[in-house]
């Protein structure tokens, strides 16, 4: 019986440690570093092929140096649950966001709020609404 209790405690501790390093969806601000890429994707009407008539959409993608995870801060959250194995995050800019063109292909540090994909224009499971960007 003691061994069973010890095994259960070890399992619970491992689960807690696994989630301890996850970033949180907004409103918390998250800071990330990685390489900035501008990628082409097919857009409306079918999101399948630019050559077949879909509009070209370009999206900024932050390529992370290592995997990360994102977790909802606390239930009930409007965001998706835990997402693991994240290596790329689409950056979403608002009207007041800084330009990224001069940083294309460079290592950058970016901060903002994480949120989960919810439209066909979202190219990664987790996105970052950009607040600040700087070369790294």
């Amino acid at each position: 019986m003691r061994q069973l209790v010890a095994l259960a405690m070890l399992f619970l501790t491992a689960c807690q440690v696994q989630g301890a390093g996850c970033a949180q969806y907004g409103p918390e601000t998250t800071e990330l570093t990685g390489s900035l890429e501008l990628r082409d994707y097919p857009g409306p009407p079918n999101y399948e092929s630019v050559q077949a008539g879909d509009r070209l959409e370009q999206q900024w993608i932050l390529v992370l140096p290592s995997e990360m995870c994102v977790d909802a801060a606390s239930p009930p959250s409007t965001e998706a649950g835990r997402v693991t194995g994240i290596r790329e995050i689409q950056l979403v800019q608002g009207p007041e966001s800084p330009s990224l063109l001069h940083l294309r292909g460079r290592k950058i540090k970016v901060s903002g709020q994480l949120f989960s994909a919810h439209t066909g224009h979202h190219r990664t499971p987790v996105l970052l609404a950009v607040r600040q960007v700087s070369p790294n």
Side-chain angles (χ1 to χ4, degrees):
M1 184 66 164
R2 288 183 195 181
Q3 290 175 336
L4 185 58
V5 170
L7 188 57
M9 293 299 290
L10 182 62
F11 175 75
L12 289 174
T13 301
C15 289
Q16 291 171 347
V17 168
Q18 182 181 12
C22 288
Q24 303 291 308
Y25 291 110
E28 289 80 11
T29 296
T30 300
E31 186 175 280
L32 301 170
T33 58
S35 299
L36 183 62
E37 295 182 5
L38 184 60
R39 295 193 186 157
D40 296 340
Y41 295 96
N46 299 316
Y47 297 88
E48 293 174 359
S49 169
V50 173
Q51 292 77 16
D54 290 337
R55 187 179 73 209
L56 173 67
E57 289 188 346
Q58 293 187 313
Q59 304 292 345
W60 289 108
I61 304 293
L62 181 69
V63 180
L64 303 171
S66 59
E67 289 184 356
M68 68 174 284
C69 61
V70 178
D71 207 353
S74 61
S77 173
T78 58
E79 296 293 343
R82 176 173 294 167
V83 180
T84 61
I86 300 168
R87 290 298 305 254
E88 299 179 341
I89 294 184
Q90 180 178 338
L91 302 180
V92 178
Q93 295 183 278
E96 65 282 345
S97 296
S99 173
L100 299 177
L101 283 174
H102 68 288
L103 297 170
R104 183 179 183 180
R106 296 178 60 189
K107 302 262 190 237
I108 64 167
K109 183 187 303 183
V110 60
S111 65
Q113 294 179 331
L114 295 168
F115 64 98
S116 58
H118 57 273
T119 78
H121 302 283
H122 296 162
R123 307 304 178 154
T124 60
V126 175
L127 298 86
L128 182 81
V130 175
R131 285 201 178 151
Q132 292 184 324
V133 178
S134 62
N136 188 19

